[in-house]
Amino acid sequence: MIPAMASATALTATPLQAIPIADSPYVILFGSLYLLIVLAIGAWGYMQTESTSDFLITGKSIGTWVLALTAFSVIQSGFGFVGGPELIYSFGTTALWIFFTAPLGFLITWVLLAKRMRVLADIRDVLTLADGMYVRYESQWVRGLTAVAVVVGVVAYLATNLAALQYVMRAIFGVPVTTGLLVGAFILLLYSMLGGMIAGVWTDFVQAITMIVGAVFVFAFAVSFGGGMESISRNLATADPALISPFGAMGSHEEAIFAALGWWILFSIGTAGQPHLVTKFYMSKNLRILRWGAPIAAITYAVSSLLAFSTGLSMRAMVEAGEIAAPQNASVVGPVFVLEHTPGVIAGLILAALLAAIMSTSDSFLNIGAAAISRDVPRALGRPIDDDRTELRVTQAALAGITILSVLVVAQSSALVGILGTIGWGFFAAAFFAIVALGLNWKGATKEGAIAAIVVGLSVNLFYNAVPSVAGVLGLGGVAEAVPGLYPFPETFPVGTVSLLVTLVLFVVVSLLTGARDGDSVAPDVAALMER
């Protein structure tokens, strides 16, 4: 499978080795300033944290703009600077199907979940996604499987983000890769342990502002670099008319349409299955502030996507026109353009934003993963940690454990990082969209349907994405070649979309076969929530 299809938000390690080391003092200045801000926010968050609730959901204290910009930034992540330009450079305007549909995903997520998740945090003691799913289905199996899926996805995301972080630290500060990994991971762990989600939310907010400002400047420089949109379009059309067509840059016309449809489904509907986004609704001050969150998140995401759109098209147009040499790898198109074709101040701002994107998103994953270990798994096993202070300390210890594990993965095995990199957006979308988004809107959903959806969704993703990679590493070439041959769709059609659609159908069918259709199995307070 094409890596970008399998895990569109994952950052792989190897291609980023081609990022040059910055030679502008502004890059070091902005990078250092960002790291100092991160540590200051962590220290401030520590002073605001008195309970596990404060640590995990900020004590329900954030407002409209912070919530919306935080939601946009954890979804955009480093993808906007690395994966986005790569896709646009490689496939032209066809790749815009991701950027057109992702803003729609915020609207769908807000409509389906914002009010229900926030009210759920009022009527029950919920701090994590698994808490909410236990309340909905009253099943420790659902709680436990949700927690396991979260931990697997978090380790995968964190390892790939740390793999990228080491090269970004090298690009900014010129340090050896190993030093960049250790220093970056230590700073990430320090501010995560100090401030929890309070620190994470505010670093997400800083990241969002930086991304928006930087994207606008880069858009202007990129269009100018390519000679204007007319010149860019002409150069691309001369090289390959498919690069500026809606569907034609990914194989045959039929395959391209199929891929675009797959992206549309995965990045619009699948947004509502991302735990690092949907749990943000627990944190809002009240229901009123949810009203404008969706359009703010959607618009800011669209603005930030100007960076990927402009750099990808402009760089490809200039390469095709023979004005510049092709980059070593399409994955570094965005960073290379910023470092080599923008002023030092802009380069510093953008690389600081890339550093922020990786670290702040990693912090969100760290928090939900640690909570799954300290809170959800023990409760699913019938051995909850009853003392709040002890639970908070165990959560912080879990943060350290997950970080150390991810660092060891990155340091010891680039092959393992690549395998984990295939577990991304589609993994969470398949595991959680049905049980969360449908489950909180349909009284007929059952615990059996939820269990089936999680297990099968994870299995389909792992079978098609991870098994071929694992087999290749183990020298089982026959298996590595056979599994992709079993995939019944064109390779450009995302595996995540297939697993998402399979789990949706399975969830509904199993629920209809096993449940009370009148909704009597739903707790009265949860049923009232679903009727709001």
Side-chain angles (χ1 to χ4, degrees):
M1 296 298 125
I2 295 175
M5 312 299 177
S7 178
T9 57
L11 299 172
T12 56
T14 303
L16 295 179
Q17 295 179 29
I19 296 179
I21 298 175
D23 59 1
S24 169
Y26 290 106
V27 174
I28 298 177
L29 174 63
F30 277 95
S32 301
L33 182 61
Y34 171 73
L35 293 180
L36 290 174
I37 291 173
V38 161
L39 291 175
I41 291 175
W44 172 79
Y46 177 77
M47 293 185 288
Q48 307 299 313
T49 301
E50 298 180 356
S51 65
T52 305
S53 174
D54 291 336
F55 193 83
L56 295 179
I57 62 170
T58 73
K60 305 173 186 176
S61 63
I62 61 177
T64 302
W65 279 92
V66 176
L67 175 65
L69 293 182
T70 296
F72 131 67
S73 65
V74 298
I75 294 300
Q76 181 66 286
S77 185
F79 175 64
F81 298 101
V82 179
E86 174 190 4
L87 289 176
I88 298 292
Y89 179 90
S90 300
F91 304 118
T93 52
T94 307
L96 291 176
W97 280 92
I98 290 178
F99 300 104
F100 287 154
T101 56
L104 177 61
F106 291 110
L107 302 178
I108 293 173
T109 302
W110 248 262
V111 169
L112 292 178
L113 290 175
K115 183 184 294 184
R116 287 168 172 76
M117 294 287 283
R118 180 59 184 82
V119 173
L120 194 62
D122 278 339
I123 65 175
R124 298 290 188 95
D125 177 27
V126 294
L127 302 180
T128 66
L129 183 64
D131 277 345
M133 294 305 94
Y134 173 75
V135 169
R136 170 59 185 87
Y137 298 103
E138 298 183 333
S139 167
Q140 295 292 8
W141 274 98
V142 174
R143 186 204 290 270
L145 287 170
T146 299
V148 169
V150 166
V151 172
V152 171
V154 162
V155 172
Y157 264 116
L158 190 59
T160 52
N161 274 271
L162 289 179
L165 176 63
Q166 62 187 344
Y167 292 108
V168 175
M169 292 287 286
R170 175 167 173 74
I172 295 175
F173 300 107
V175 298
V177 171
T178 301
T179 302
L181 172 63
L182 295 177
V183 172
F186 176 75
I187 294 174
L188 169 66
L189 176 61
L190 183 60
Y191 93 84
S192 298
M193 290 184 68
L194 286 174
M197 195 58 77
I198 293 177
V201 163
W202 284 99
T203 50
D204 286 342
F205 182 75
V206 172
Q207 172 206 342
I209 297 298
T210 308
M211 289 171 71
I212 293 168
V213 173
V216 172
F217 279 109
V218 171
F219 176 78
F221 279 105
V223 172
S224 176
F225 175 72
M229 287 306 301
E230 182 179 352
S231 176
I232 292 172
S233 299
R234 183 172 57 252
N235 287 335
L236 291 174
T238 300
D240 182 0
L243 289 171
I244 58 171
S245 68
F247 298 109
M250 305 183 75
S252 69
H253 189 66
E254 292 75 16
E255 287 179 337
I257 293 176
F258 210 44
L261 177 62
W263 286 4
W264 185 88
I265 294 171
L266 187 59
F267 285 91
S268 57
I269 297 175
T271 303
Q274 306 304 309
H276 49 298
L277 169 61
V278 300
T279 52
K280 294 288 191 290
F281 296 128
Y282 290 156
M283 306 174 189
S284 61
K285 287 182 181 179
N286 51 56
L287 291 176
R288 293 192 302 276
I289 73 167
L290 297 173
R291 179 177 303 172
W292 295 104
I296 293 173
I299 292 170
T300 52
Y301 183 97
V303 171
S304 72
S305 296
L306 291 174
L307 185 149
F309 172 78
S310 58
T311 57
L313 290 183
S314 181
M315 287 285 282
R316 182 65 182 268
M318 295 300 280
V319 167
E320 297 295 349
E323 297 293 330
I324 60 172
Q328 294 183 32
N329 190 288
S331 297
V332 299
V333 164
V336 165
F337 174 80
V338 167
L339 283 169
E340 296 184 353
H341 303 292
T342 65
V345 173
I346 301 301
L349 181 68
I350 294 301
L351 277 184
L354 176 55
L355 181 63
I358 294 172
M359 294 191 70
S360 63
T361 305
S362 297
D363 174 68
S364 291
F365 286 128
L366 265 177
N367 277 284
I368 64 173
I373 292 172
S374 66
R375 182 179 177 87
D376 300 326
V377 172
R379 293 186 178 216
L381 296 175
R383 304 188 67 177
I385 301 173
D386 295 322
D387 180 69
D388 184 77
R389 204 69 186 168
T390 301
E391 185 177 63
L392 176 58
R393 296 300 174 231
V394 174
T395 301
Q396 292 171 321
L399 285 171
I402 294 173
T403 304
I404 292 171
L405 173 61
S406 299
V407 168
L408 290 175
V409 168
V410 175
Q412 296 299 321
S413 175
S414 59
L416 184 54
V417 171
I419 292 168
L420 291 174
T422 65
I423 304 171
W425 182 280
F427 182 87
F428 279 145
F432 298 131
F433 175 78
I435 72 168
V436 180
L438 290 191
L440 289 177
N441 287 274
W442 177 38
K443 294 181 183 179
T446 67
K447 62 182 180 182
E448 292 84 3
I451 291 170
I454 296 174
V455 171
V456 174
L458 299 186
S459 299
V460 172
N461 266 301
L462 292 176
F463 180 73
Y464 284 115
N465 282 329
V467 169
S469 300
V470 173
V473 171
L474 297 177
L476 303 175
V479 176
E481 294 177 3
V483 171
L486 298 175
Y487 191 60
F489 304 100
E491 68 172 11
T492 54
F493 192 75
V495 171
T497 303
V498 175
S499 56
L500 171 59
L501 295 176
V502 168
T503 57
L504 280 172
V505 173
L506 190 65
F507 179 71
V508 172
V509 171
V510 173
S511 293
L512 291 175
L513 293 175
T514 60
R517 301 186 184 185
D518 58 4
D520 289 342
S521 61
V522 182
D525 56 347
V526 178
L529 172 156
M530 296 169 69
E531 294 170 356
R532 292 175 67 100

